Amino acid sequence: MSLEPQELSYLKSKIGREPSSTELQIVAAEWSEHCSYKSSKKHLKMLPMTGPLVISEKGYDSGVLDVGGGYVITAHIESHNHPSAIEPYGGAATGVGGVIRDILSAGTRPIAIFDGLRFGNIEKDKHARWLFKNAVSGIADYGNCLGIPTIGGEVEFDDCYSNYALVDVAALGFGKKENLIKNHANKGDLLILMGGPTGRDGIGGSQFASDLLESEDRSAVQIPDPFIEKLIIEAILEARNHKLINALKDLGGGGLSCAVSETADSLGIGIEMDVEKVHTKEKGMNPEEIMISESQERMLVITNKQKLKKLQVICKKYNIICSVIGRVTSGNKMHVKKGKKTFADISTEIVANAKLLDRPSKIPTYLKNIQKEKKIATIPNISKTLMKLFSSPNIASKIWIYSQFDHEVGIRTVIKPGQDASVLRLDNGKFLSAKIDGNPKHCFINPREGAIGCFEEACRNVICTGAKPIGMLDHLQFGNPQDPEIFWTFLETLKGLTDFANYFQIPCIGGKVSLYNETSKGPIKPTPLIGVLGLIEKNPQISQKVEPGDCLVIIGTTKNELGGSEYYEYIHKFIGGNCPKVDFSESKKNMKTVLELINKKYLKVVHDCAKGGLAIAASEICMTNQIGCNISLDKVPHKTQEPERVLFSESHSRYLLVLKQKNLSKVKSIMKKNKVSFGVIGKFSGKKIQFNKEKKSLADVSVDKAEKIWLNSLREMVLVG
Amino acid sequence: MKVGVIVFPGSNCDRDMFHVLRDVFHFDTQYFWHEKGLPKNIDAVILPGGFSYGDRLRAGAIAAHSPIIHDIQKISEKGIPVLGVCNGFQILVESGLLPGVLLKNNSLNFMCKWTSLIVKNNETPFTSQLKINQKIPIPIANGEGRYYVDEDTLKSLKKNNQIVFKYAEVVNGSTDKIAGVCNENGNVVGMMPHPERAVESEINPIDNKPSSKIFESLLNNMGVYQ
């Protein structure tokens, strides 16, 4: 936990003297990869970050979108991987807490949580099961207590996360544009630390997160207290209503060091503070510990003397400690004292801006042959394979997880978890749709196309609810960036996302980079996680009950793209092959067509084709509606021959539509007009899911049996093993 | 005529309940912070859901000692309607205003799902517009929602018609599938499911009319007990 030798000499040359030990600790925290983005910052600028709806303000930790009628949405994404890998309950819980405070920092009320979780093979590995179960409990206990609904997410299991965990949390906020906190500060303003006491928990957490996970440094994991966080949310929003806050910043990675230096740097002010004024959990903490502690549930507030009294009254009401720890000065230095003695006096511009790196990159050798196809033995019994896939932890229903999250509180949840994307109603009469998606199996085989695929999948999911994508969040998770091969996969991912964002004009409104995600067996697969927000002006696409006689239509072409598919990896244990690639113009055409059909109210159900391919997507419609369907592969537009490939390919840009027979001709004429490839592939009736080709039955399974396995297997795996 | 929504530190369904009372059913609605007293002219009081004091000790145990509980007890003795939902129910039980206890669910997990209630008593101020055995689609969201009473108490609950709602299915292991009870007088009602989450068609995927009757019953009974 210290600076690299070249960073130390850079620091010395900048300040022209030896740094004090407190200064060293402050700088080491702030220059950690986690806080400074020193490896990634130069490259992240390639992503488009502006757009007609994007509002940019100084010093925000979350992205802001104008959704009309005087209202804004705020959004942010964070991860808590290292802590969750050691202590999954506390790590996941504090991950929720941190991203919620980022939303709060803009002066908006948090209204939704999403979580993206990744673990090792829970079927075989008890430790992975333990991590999974406790991370879910941590998120549930924290989010439920706050009264913020967890309305969506995704979970994936892969051997590359053995003995490790990725816990990503995204949060959304909502508020009036006029209530946004416009960060500003004047000389003489007061620096206030609000919330829980500062302790020795989470010491050096950000540096710990910027290192390889070789030792279990439990003291670097923070301790969660959602009750205090809830009180802070209410106190801050009440103070915001009374205009008592000039500037606001969450204390996250790097603790006070980071919050103070970044606030001062972004506002162009100096700050003088006294660590003796900081309320602590225990006596005898030294200035360094106080400056880099990452104790949770703390906010930094800048206000003035006139407003202080009112702020103290609010804090007293909620029983929240608020300490005046310093003041705003002219100049640009952070001056840290203990009583009268100075411990650090250093330019915030230096502290807040680590020297950015140009890491070398090189195409990984493993990629050379990975896209080669392997001759896959034909499977004798596709029905059996289908049943096996329903029980795969990556495909099985996630109801065991989301039923532990209060997804109704706040009474906004129009489309609930378990569907393509969740939808919230807003106070301006519009609806917000949101989804997060990742796919490390694809990303490993082709980092660029895999990342684009995650982005497109998240778009498809919000499109399925009738929403137009308006913003994107990216969370880029990789191994050690000092390895040029890993850094290459990071750059490829970023380039892919940038191309897609530019083509579809979806601005990136927030993101996070998490590096050094390695286990004893090596780096994780490239794991970008993409969140997409969509806006619905009037009517969300709410699924209607599927009835006998309804038609099943597919939009989009099925290609020979099974690389990274659940079929190759779960059934055939083969990692490799053609990774699905998004054809941008086909993608755009299909999105537009689906939205047009939704707006014309022709569709009963719209479902995205993703993991497990057409076979799984069609079965999911059958299972959730408890109705059978007879599906003919002859009508599926495809560029591959073997029936297994048509059934299980994970090609992008595909949608399944369910409609009444009487709407079919109108729907067909719109699809023809828009020149999309489509097929009317099935008819619903009875209680069996049947796939046929040239009148020959390929698979025939009972809806009830399939549903039972699909609904229960994840819970059974966790509880029984 | 005024309805009070009581806010404890950690309440988190207070704003939802307030919205439903004021914007959907047009009650004159006011928040009351747990340290405040209640005015004399209050016509009904609702304790909303949430995690008062972070569920420390036991759900509702600390809030049951809030200063406002004393006032709630006084008005309840006068026959004024009091409703506790979820954590509000737990607080009423912990403060002794309602019988029984609420234990951890059988699954040992927090559970959020839609279920159905069956009306068993339509003589309370919150159920008078409902029919006996009428079904109400409604969501639950709790970790400590398993209602428990011993056999003798169950007998007396039945005898005094104190079982207000039952679940239509086995949800969490509650004694006799009980989801909501009232005091002997019938004016204090507690229930684990969330009626405020079920009264607007936009967010209720099944049917919002039955749960709306809970609030319509109160509207009909406003001022009757003053």
Side-chain angles (χ1 to χ4, degrees):
Chain A
M1 286 199 212
S2 59
L3 294 173
E4 301 276 333
Q6 68 274 20
E7 287 177 324
L8 185 59
S9 50
Y10 176 73
L11 175 63
K12 282 184 195 165
S13 76
K14 276 278 180 185
I15 62 173
R17 61 177 166 80
E18 286 288 325
S20 71
S21 69
T22 307
E23 287 170 341
L24 256 183
Q25 291 289 341
I26 292 172
V27 171
E30 184 60 25
W31 288 8
S32 67
E33 187 65 62
H34 182 85
C35 292
S36 71
Y37 293 74
K38 59 191 170 195
S39 300
S40 58
K41 208 170 193 171
K42 276 191 178 170
H43 306 288
L44 292 171
K45 287 183 187 137
M46 72 173 80
L47 283 164
M49 296 185 195
T50 53
L53 304 184
V54 179
I55 298 173
S56 301
E57 284 283 341
K58 271 189 283 189
Y60 276 179
D61 290 326
S62 56
V64 188
L65 285 170
D66 190 331
V67 289
Y71 289 96
V72 295
I73 282 289
T74 51
H76 194 53
I77 191 162
E78 282 274 353
S79 62
H80 232 200
N81 301 339
H82 280 64
S84 302
I86 291 177
E87 208 283 82
Y89 181 89
T94 51
V96 175
V99 74
I100 290 300
R101 291 192 302 279
D102 290 325
I103 295 297
L104 188 62
S105 298
T108 51
R109 179 179 282 279
I111 59 162
I113 298 167
F114 294 79
D115 56 309
L117 307 173
R118 289 192 161 72
F119 306 93
N121 182 341
I122 56 162
E123 285 178 289
K124 289 192 189 133
D125 179 353
K126 269 192 183 163
H127 183 66
R129 222 176 287 152
W130 176 79
L131 287 169
F132 171 48
K133 195 176 156 184
N134 285 286
V136 169
S137 296
I139 292 166
D141 285 357
Y142 207 95
N144 294 345
C145 184
L146 294 181
I148 301 166
T150 301
I151 60 167
E154 42 107 59
V155 193
E156 197 169 4
F157 306 93
D158 190 290
D159 284 333
C160 79
Y161 308 110
S162 291
N163 286 313
Y164 199 61
L166 297 188
V167 174
D168 303 336
V169 187
L172 304 177
F174 182 65
K176 287 191 178 144
K177 197 172 169 181
E178 63 187 37
N179 280 341
L180 281 173
I181 289 168
K182 309 247 190 248
N183 288 319
H184 66 282
N186 298 311
K187 188 182 163 192
D189 280 358
L190 303 172
L191 187 71
I192 288 158
L193 186 61
M194 232 176 106
T198 300
R200 287 194 169 109
D201 57 314
I203 294 267
S206 60
Q207 288 143 288
F208 161 66
S210 308
D211 235 321
L212 302 178
L213 188 59
E214 281 162 351
S215 63
E216 291 205 355
D217 190 354
R218 273 174 199 271
S219 69
V221 182
Q222 307 85 351
I223 299 164
D225 188 342
F227 178 53
I228 292 188
E229 180 112 337
K230 170 66 178 166
L231 298 177
I232 289 176
I233 293 172
E234 299 308 325
I236 290 278
L237 292 176
E238 200 166 317
R240 172 205 72 181
N241 290 343
H242 292 97
K243 309 256 178 256
L244 303 179
I245 298 170
N246 292 357
L248 185 60
K249 176 97 179 162
D250 147 54
L251 272 84
L256 270 169
S257 296
C258 179
V260 168
S261 65
E262 287 182 13
T263 302
D265 183 51
S266 72
L267 300 178
I269 54 171
I271 283 174
E272 184 185 290
M273 60 167 288
D274 183 350
V275 292
E276 272 192 343
K277 302 281 166 59
V278 174
H279 51 284
T280 54
K281 283 186 189 171
E282 53 197 306
K283 281 187 184 160
M285 287 179 70
N286 64 39
E288 285 102 57
E289 289 173 320
I290 291 172
M291 291 308 291
I292 63 167
S293 160
E294 293 182 12
S295 289
Q296 294 291 292
E297 293 95 17
R298 298 180 299 161
M299 297 292 285
L300 193 67
V301 179
I302 295 180
T303 187
N304 62 30
K305 277 180 193 140
Q306 292 78 38
K307 296 173 182 173
L308 177 65
K309 271 231 162 82
K310 281 188 182 168
L311 185 65
Q312 285 168 327
V313 170
I314 291 173
C315 287
K316 193 163 178 243
K317 173 182 167 187
Y318 290 101
N319 225 340
I320 291 275
I321 304 174
C322 89
S323 304
V324 180
I325 62 166
R327 62 190 180 90
V328 174
T329 59
S330 54
N332 71 344
K333 283 190 163 182
M334 66 185 284
H335 184 183
V336 181
K337 300 187 303 180
K338 184 180 179 185
K340 287 194 175 145
K341 197 175 168 206
T342 290
F343 280 79
D345 191 8
I346 184 166
S347 151
T348 57
E349 201 240 323
I350 296 171
V351 180
N353 296 285
K355 193 176 182 189
L356 301 184
L357 303 173
D358 257 324
R359 300 248 185 231
S361 71
K362 177 175 144 255
I363 183 164
T365 45
Y366 84 83
L367 284 177
K368 224 174 175 183
N369 294 318
I370 197 150
Q371 294 218 44
K372 275 198 184 139
E373 282 291 333
K374 187 177 133 185
K375 180 99 182 105
I376 297 285
T378 44
I379 37 175
N381 188 335
I382 296 182
S383 298
K384 231 178 175 176
T385 306
L386 203 51
M387 289 304 233
K388 193 170 173 204
L389 282 171
F390 293 141
S391 72
S392 151
N394 288 332
I395 283 179
S397 164
K398 304 301 180 288
I399 190 166
W400 179 79
I401 304 170
Y402 63 76
S403 64
Q404 293 183 54
F405 302 148
D406 190 343
H407 47 257
E408 302 281 350
V409 65
I411 50 174
R412 292 186 183 279
T413 319
V414 175
I415 297 184
K416 333 253 180 210
Q419 302 194 39
D420 290 271
S422 301
V423 172
L424 296 170
R425 56 178 181 169
L426 302 176
D427 300 10
N428 58 359
K430 298 181 188 181
F431 298 85
L432 185 76
S433 177
K435 180 70 171 94
I436 54 173
D437 275 309
N439 195 326
K441 295 183 200 299
H442 290 181
C443 294
F444 178 68
I445 292 172
N446 188 329
R448 182 195 153 87
E449 297 301 336
I452 292 172
C454 299
F455 199 165
E456 210 242 5
E457 189 186 344
C459 286
R460 290 202 305 273
N461 282 313
V462 303
I463 293 273
C464 287
T465 64
K468 181 180 177 288
I470 57 168
M472 175 270 259
L473 296 168
D474 64 327
H475 193 334
L476 309 176
Q477 301 167 107
F478 296 85
N480 184 346
Q482 295 166 30
D483 178 339
E485 295 198 342
I486 287 174
F487 202 65
W488 186 89
T489 64
F490 165 77
L491 289 177
E492 279 298 295
T493 302
L494 197 52
K495 286 176 197 162
L497 296 175
T498 303
D499 286 352
F500 190 88
N502 282 330
Y503 187 87
F504 287 87
Q505 294 187 327
I506 304 170
C508 171
I509 58 164
K512 169 91 197 157
V513 180
S514 167
L515 303 170
Y516 298 96
N517 292 292
E518 303 229 354
T519 70
S520 53
K521 285 184 189 156
I524 60 162
K525 290 180 177 176
T527 314
L529 189 79
I530 308 300
V532 168
L533 306 182
L535 199 61
I536 303 165
E537 293 291 333
K538 268 192 195 144
N539 298 309
Q541 166 70 31
I542 294 174
S543 294
Q544 298 161 39
K545 186 96 191 127
V546 179
E547 291 158 311
D550 289 344
C551 307
L552 180 67
V553 171
I554 188 168
I555 284 187
T557 309
T558 302
K559 301 165 196 160
N560 184 17
E561 295 177 324
L562 286 97
S565 68
E566 202 60 12
Y567 178 71
Y568 268 10
E569 302 211 354
Y570 192 70
I571 303 295
H572 293 285
K573 313 287 172 213
F574 168 53
I575 298 177
N578 285 326
C579 173
K581 291 186 184 64
V582 176
D583 175 329
F584 285 14
S585 75
E586 187 193 358
S587 167
K588 195 173 212 168
K589 217 162 55 178
N590 295 0
M591 283 186 199
K592 186 180 155 261
T593 304
V594 172
L595 282 182
E596 187 177 342
L597 293 170
I598 288 174
N599 289 334
K600 292 224 156 84
K601 300 199 167 110
Y602 289 152
L603 309 179
K604 290 180 104 174
V605 175
V606 186
H607 188 32
D608 142 61
C609 245
K611 200 170 273 298
L614 162 65
I616 294 299
S619 303
E620 282 169 348
I621 296 177
C622 291
M623 292 185 285
T624 44
N625 286 278
Q626 290 172 318
I627 188 168
C629 193
N630 194 325
I631 299 155
S632 161
L633 296 195
D634 307 325
K635 303 284 171 59
V636 177
H638 60 83
K639 289 185 175 163
T640 177
Q641 280 310 313
E642 292 157 57
E644 290 97 324
R645 293 184 181 272
V646 182
L647 283 171
F648 301 116
S649 162
E650 295 181 7
S651 291
H652 293 296
S653 311
R654 296 181 301 159
Y655 303 82
L656 289 180
L657 319 174
V658 180
L659 47 132
K660 281 189 180 141
Q661 174 79 34
K662 67 165 196 188
N663 287 329
L664 186 58
S665 60
K666 287 176 276 190
V667 168
K668 268 179 161 175
S669 70
I670 288 173
M671 292 188 294
K672 279 182 192 155
K673 177 197 80 182
N674 291 348
K675 300 194 172 74
V676 299
S677 55
F678 71 93
V680 183
I681 60 171
K683 202 155 239 184
F684 289 91
S685 73
K687 290 295 255 174
K688 287 185 159 191
I689 308 169
Q690 295 167 311
F691 292 97
N692 314 299
K693 193 182 178 196
E694 289 155 6
K695 292 191 179 151
K696 239 178 69 191
S697 170
L698 296 168
D700 188 336
V701 300
S702 134
V703 175
D704 293 340
K705 274 189 195 158
E707 192 199 9
K708 215 171 151 196
I709 289 175
W710 180 67
L711 279 181
N712 296 322
S713 61
L714 193 61
R715 185 177 59 89
E716 279 164 15
M717 220 170 284
V718 177
L719 299 183
V720 188
Chain B
M1 290 195 287
K2 213 178 268 300
V3 181
V5 175
I6 314 296
V7 186
F8 299 93
S11 294
N12 65 30
C13 303
D14 45 330
R15 298 167 66 254
D16 300 351
M17 187 60 87
F18 188 89
H19 161 77
V20 162
L21 289 166
R22 189 191 61 182
D23 305 332
V24 180
F25 295 97
H26 312 294
F27 285 94
D28 176 2
T29 315
Q30 202 180 327
Y31 288 117
F32 289 95
W33 183 241
H34 72 121
E35 287 173 323
K36 284 205 172 151
L38 288 170
K40 288 226 161 65
N41 65 344
I42 197 92
D43 293 291
V45 159
I46 299 189
L47 290 80
F51 282 73
S52 57
Y53 294 94
D55 268 2
R56 278 169 199 167
L57 196 56
R58 274 190 317 275
I62 300 177
H65 296 278
S66 285
I68 206 162
I69 295 295
H70 181 68
D71 280 17
I72 292 172
Q73 182 158 5
K74 271 205 299 204
I75 64 160
S76 76
E77 283 162 9
K78 283 204 254 167
I80 289 171
V82 175
L83 175 68
V85 172
C86 201
N87 188 229
F89 183 18
Q90 292 162 334
I91 295 168
L92 290 175
V93 161
E94 286 288 340
S95 60
L97 285 167
L98 288 174
V101 287
L102 288 147
L103 305 175
K104 234 179 195 314
N105 294 333
N106 263 358
S107 66
L108 303 181
N109 284 333
F110 189 94
M111 291 169 70
C112 177
K113 64 174 253 183
W114 283 76
T115 184
S116 267
L117 289 185
I118 297 172
V119 179
K120 287 290 164 193
N121 172 346
N122 65 350
E123 289 165 13
T124 81
F126 301 97
T127 54
S128 58
Q129 302 280 305
L130 288 153
K131 294 192 181 83
I132 292 288
N133 290 331
Q134 185 173 349
K135 274 197 175 181
I136 307 176
I138 200 164
I140 53 161
N142 58 62
E144 296 175 33
R146 177 160 61 99
Y147 186 74
Y148 175 80
V149 284
D150 59 27
E151 270 181 40
D152 289 346
T153 315
L154 182 63
K155 269 185 206 155
S156 81
L157 288 182
K158 283 182 178 165
K159 198 178 115 215
N160 300 326
N161 197 19
Q162 284 177 261
I163 300 170
V164 182
F165 299 112
K166 280 192 183 190
Y167 296 108
E169 54 179 345
V170 173
V171 166
N172 54 14
S174 288
T175 303
D176 207 27
K177 292 195 270 190
I178 291 172
V181 296
C182 62
N183 61 353
E184 282 189 39
N185 236 340
N187 65 314
V188 180
V189 174
M191 61 193 296
M192 283 316 290
H194 286 271
E196 80 281 10
R197 299 181 182 183
V199 297
E200 293 171 280
S201 59
E202 215 165 43
I203 52 169
N204 183 328
I206 306 154
D207 183 5
N208 66 318
K209 283 175 212 84
S211 51
S212 298
K213 297 275 182 210
I214 293 173
F215 295 93
E216 286 163 14
S217 298
L218 181 62
L219 260 183
N220 209 42
N221 288 303
M222 283 296 275
V224 172
Y225 302 89
Q226 258 295 350

